[in-house]
Amino acid sequence: MQALPFGQYGFSIAVYVIGIMIAISGISLGLGYAINEKRFKDFGRNELYQSILNGALVGGLLVLFSSNGIVSTTINQMTLSNSTSMQCPTSLAGNSAICLAYNYLIGSGYSISGTSHPSILGTSTLLLTALFSLNAVLGAIASVKVSILIVTISFSYIVNPLILQIEYIIKLLSTIAIGAVVQGAVLLFISASAITVILPAGLVLRSFYPTRKLGGFLMALAIGLYVVFPLSYVFDAVIATSYNSQINLSSITSLNQTAAGIEGNLYSDISPVASNSLLSSVSSSVVGAVESFANTFSGTINWLLQGLSYLIVYTFVLPAFSLIVTGVAVREFSEVLGSEARFGIFRFM
């Protein structure tokens, strides 16, 4: 975070605009008393009060959101209170909550209370890589056909349903990975613009009478996005830690090795089958191996679906909760700043 939280020119522009509005309110008051016009007096008095309030807001927000300000210190303390550790990119180093949320979604992972956790994107990518390999091996097995006299045995009838299950899981994992990347991009946007662009724009717009409500909303939006939104992700990460279901790739690796072994056995057994009289014994051993593999795969599919349910909760359900909390916070902050933020989905709150 920069020494001044309003960007390179935001603080200066806000001060200049407040000075201009104080001058305008003084002129309006002077004209009102000079011509004894109540409307000029009321306008000048109200604008003077609003200019003083805006000046107090600029000073207060400067203290709150500076590098070692109250807000930054509080966010860092709340985020790191559970012995949390993570690697933060330079652009996210000023807000530990955004850094943890980023690592929770697409970063290098994080550690809470001494327990390491991979990011959602990292877990999804590892699973996708393993499942792509498994899908290729199963496709090769499905292409194998064994002819016994006038009977042809095709393993596609056994393997194709498994391939369909894998393709369904791959689609789900791809959706989860994309959702995590999108949320990570939103966090990068918030870190880059909430305090340096949106907040000073809100201060400037709030200083003018026609755009006062819009400015109040932008200020509330900046505070909600920079403070409430990432802290809600910290809450999500704590929930994920309290009910941890880490994806262990050992089962997928073992299944890949079993599938590759069956594939090798199939291709090595096809040539003897064509010239050997022991057709029934060879074919029965091959079919038995495939059936054993299918039984093992059934248990792995159940494990994968359970892991997917956790990833869906961590990627979509908990972030939806974060959006709701942020929306409510923005609405309340807007009312405090003299604006209105009415979202249809929050009308019941």
Side-chain angles (χ1 to χ4, degrees):
M1 184 183 296
Q2 301 178 13
L4 290 178
F6 303 135
Q8 185 175 2
Y9 303 108
F11 178 76
S12 299
I13 294 174
V15 172
Y16 291 151
V17 170
I18 290 172
I20 292 171
M21 292 308 299
I22 289 176
I24 292 175
S25 62
I27 294 172
S28 179
L29 274 175
L31 287 175
Y33 282 108
I35 62 177
N36 196 23
E37 178 61 45
K38 185 176 183 299
R39 288 180 298 178
F40 285 155
K41 293 179 182 178
D42 293 340
F43 176 80
R45 189 178 296 109
N46 291 334
E47 289 304 310
L48 181 60
Y49 292 155
Q50 290 294 334
S51 298
I52 295 173
L53 177 59
N54 287 336
L57 285 174
V58 170
L61 292 174
L62 186 64
V63 173
L64 291 174
F65 288 95
S66 59
S67 298
N68 297 316
I70 298 174
V71 171
S72 301
T73 303
T74 302
I75 290 175
N76 293 336
Q77 289 177 349
M78 293 179 65
T79 304
L80 303 176
S81 60
N82 295 319
S83 301
T84 303
S85 61
M86 61 275 183
Q87 295 181 353
C88 297
T90 304
S91 60
L92 305 179
N95 190 323
S96 297
I98 293 182
C99 179
L100 177 59
Y102 182 83
N103 282 282
Y104 166 83
L105 291 167
I106 63 175
S108 58
Y110 59 97
S111 175
I112 295 181
S113 300
T115 303
S116 299
H117 303 273
S119 66
I120 293 173
L121 180 62
T123 302
S124 302
T125 303
L126 288 174
L127 284 175
L128 281 171
T129 303
L131 288 175
F132 280 135
S133 301
L134 180 59
N135 198 39
V137 173
L138 289 177
I141 294 175
S143 65
V144 173
K145 294 182 180 179
V146 178
S147 297
I148 304 175
L149 298 178
I150 60 174
V151 179
T152 299
I153 300 175
S154 176
F155 296 100
S156 60
Y157 295 104
I158 299 176
V159 178
N160 281 344
L162 308 181
I163 293 176
L164 291 176
Q165 291 289 337
I166 288 180
E167 290 176 349
Y168 176 72
I169 294 175
I170 287 175
K171 290 179 181 178
L172 287 177
L173 284 171
S174 300
T175 303
I176 289 171
I178 293 172
V181 171
V182 170
Q183 294 175 61
V186 170
L187 288 171
L188 290 175
F189 168 78
I190 290 173
S191 176
S193 63
I195 301 302
T196 58
V197 177
I198 301 176
L199 183 60
L203 284 169
V204 171
L205 292 174
R206 196 184 183 283
S207 300
F208 296 106
Y209 176 76
T211 59
R212 182 155 295 146
K213 290 186 177 182
L214 176 60
F217 168 74
L218 289 178
M219 292 174 63
L221 180 65
I223 296 172
L225 291 178
Y226 192 79
V227 180
V228 180
F229 188 62
L231 283 178
S232 64
Y233 271 93
V234 174
F235 181 70
D236 296 344
V238 172
I239 293 177
T241 302
S242 63
Y243 191 69
N244 183 28
S245 176
Q246 291 188 8
I247 302 298
N248 188 352
L249 290 181
S250 59
S251 298
I252 293 292
T253 303
S254 176
L255 197 62
N256 270 326
Q257 293 173 351
T258 304
I262 293 174
E263 181 189 9
N265 291 335
L266 285 174
Y267 284 112
S268 64
D269 288 339
I270 288 175
S271 52
V273 166
S275 59
N276 200 324
S277 61
L278 301 177
L279 298 176
S280 59
S281 61
V282 173
S283 61
S284 62
S285 65
V286 171
V287 172
V290 174
E291 289 178 347
S292 176
F293 168 76
N295 293 332
T296 304
F297 186 80
S298 175
T300 305
I301 284 291
N302 292 332
W303 171 79
L304 276 173
L305 290 176
Q306 185 179 12
L308 278 173
S309 65
Y310 298 142
L311 287 175
I312 290 172
V313 170
Y314 298 158
T315 309
F316 299 110
V317 178
L318 292 180
F321 167 77
S322 299
L323 285 175
I324 293 174
V325 171
T326 304
V328 174
V330 170
R331 185 190 67 179
E332 299 301 324
F333 290 149
S334 295
E335 292 181 356
V336 171
L337 294 171
S339 182
E340 295 181 1
R342 298 297 178 185
F343 308 105
I345 59 176
F346 303 132
R347 285 177 182 173
F348 62 93
M349 298 180 181

